[in-house]
Amino acid sequence: MMTEQTIDRIRRFTADREWQQYHTPGNLAKSIAIEAAELLECFQWSDTEYDREHVKEELADVLVYCRNLLDELGLDEDEIVNAKMTKNEAKYPVEKARGKAEKYDRLG
Amino acid sequence: MMTEQTIDRIRRFTADREWQQYHTPGNLAKSIAIEAAELLECFQWSDTEYDREHVKEELADVLVYCRNLLDELGLDEDEIVNAKMTKNEAKYPVEKARGKAEKYDRLG
Amino acid sequence: MMTEQTIDRIRRFTADREWQQYHTPGNLAKSIAIEAAELLECFQWSDTEYDREHVKEELADVLVYCRNLLDELGLDEDEIVNAKMTKNEAKYPVEKARGKAEKYDRLG
Amino acid sequence: MMTEQTIDRIRRFTADREWQQYHTPGNLAKSIAIEAAELLECFQWSDTEYDREHVKEELADVLVYCRNLLDELGLDEDEIVNAKMTKNEAKYPVEKARGKAEKYDRLG
C-alpha cells in the first residue's frame, strides 16, 4: 500500500513544479490512459516475455496519476474502492461467476 | 490510501470467483487500459462537466486492476512508486520544470 | 482515402519483415490502443496547442494498425464502416441528437 | 478502403446532428482512444476467443473517429500514411527487423 509519506512526496513533487495548474480532472484522466497504454506496451507482442523493471515503472506512473486525480477531486481511495467492491460483489455472485470471465450481463 | 483490509477484500473477490487464472500480467495490463479509457470517457466531450459519481467508479476500477497486477507480480506499491519518484525528481529538476508542462527531454 | 497502392505498401512492409506472426487480432488491438494513446499524448496538457506534424504521425500509426487488423481478419473497411453507420444513424435520430453530446441512452 | 460515398456519409452524420462543435482535435483523440479500448475489450481475457461481429463494430468506431479527425485537421489519409510508411521503412530495415518484434531502437 502507498504510505502517507509517499503520498506527501507525490504532492510535493507537483507543488514544487507548480504543476497543479495542469492537473485538471480531464488532463489527469488522459494521463492515466496514456500511462496505462505505456504499461500495455510492455506486453504488446507477448504476454509471457516482458521486462519486469519496465513494467514496474509504467505501473508506478499509472498509480502516481491516479493519486493526483484522487487529490484533485478530494477523494478517499479506500472509500471509492470499497464502494466499487460492494457493487462488484453484487454484480458477480460467486455461484454464477466462479471460473468464468464473461461480463456480468452475460452470466446466465 | 488503500488499507490492508481493502487489499484483502480485493484478493478474496478474485479467489472466491477463481479468476486468478485470467489474471496474467498481460490481461491485467489490458484491463487497466480498458478501465482507464472508461474513466477518460467521463471527460470525452467536456473537461468541466462530468459525473463525479461515475468518475469515482471508473477510477476505482483502475485502482483495483492495478492492485491485481501488483499482487500477480508480487510487487510492493510503495516501493515501485518511490523508485519512480526518485527518477521523476531527477528527470524534472524544479528550477527547469517549474510551471512548464513540456516533456523532460524538451526542457532546455 | 487510402489507395490500393498504399494498402499494398503496408502489406509488403509486414511481409518483408515476416511480422505476420506477431499480427494476431489481440496483438493488433493492443497496438491500436497503444498508438491511440500516443495520439492522445499530443493533447495531454492542452487541447489547443499541439504539434500538428506529431499528430499526423500518430494518427497514421493508428490507421496502419487498423489496416493490419482489417487484413488479418479479412474485413472490408467500407463494409464494416457502413454497417456501423447504419446502426449509429438509428441510435442517434437527428431530431433527438441535434446539438447534444449525450450518449444515446440518455437522449430523452 | 473507405469510398468517397462513405466518407460523405460520415460527414453528413456529424453535420446533421450539429456535432462539429464537439469535434475538437483533442476530443477526437480522446474518442479514438476510448473506442480503441472498446476494441481491446473484445480480447480482454482471451486472444483467440472473440466475438467477430463485436470486433467489426468497435474497429468501425475507431475508423469513423479517425475519419472525423482527418476532416477536422484537413488531412489527407493517403498522404499521412505514406509519409509515415517512408519513416517506418527507414527505421526498420528489412535485414535487421526480419522476424523480430523488438522496437527499432533495440535492433542491434
Side-chain angles (χ1 to χ4, degrees), chain B residues 32-95:
Chain B
I32 293 169
I34 290 164
E35 297 299 336
E38 293 184 9
L39 173 61
L40 184 62
E41 199 178 358
C42 298
F43 304 95
Q44 185 171 9
W45 305 116
S46 170
D47 250 31
T48 49
E49 287 175 56
Y50 53 88
D51 177 338
R52 187 177 165 92
E53 290 311 304
H54 195 187
V55 169
K56 283 159 73 171
E57 292 199 3
E58 300 300 347
L59 179 53
D61 281 337
V62 174
L63 289 163
V64 169
Y65 276 126
C66 285
R67 183 69 249 167
N68 290 150
L69 185 52
L70 289 164
D71 281 354
E72 178 63 29
L73 294 175
L75 298 172
D76 182 274
E77 182 182 19
D78 208 55
E79 189 183 306
I80 68 166
V81 168
N82 274 290
K84 193 52 167 56
M85 289 307 294
T86 298
K87 281 206 167 189
N88 288 350
E89 287 160 2
K91 227 164 51 165
Y92 300 94
V94 172
E95 19 353 305

Side-chain angles (χ1 to χ4, degrees), chain C residues 6 17 22 57 78 87 99, chain D residues 6 17 22 57 78 87 99:
Chain C
T6 305
R17 282 152 193 80
Y22 304 114
E57 293 200 0
D78 208 55
K87 282 205 166 191
Chain D
T6 306
R17 284 151 192 78
Y22 303 114
E57 292 200 2
D78 208 56
K87 280 205 167 189

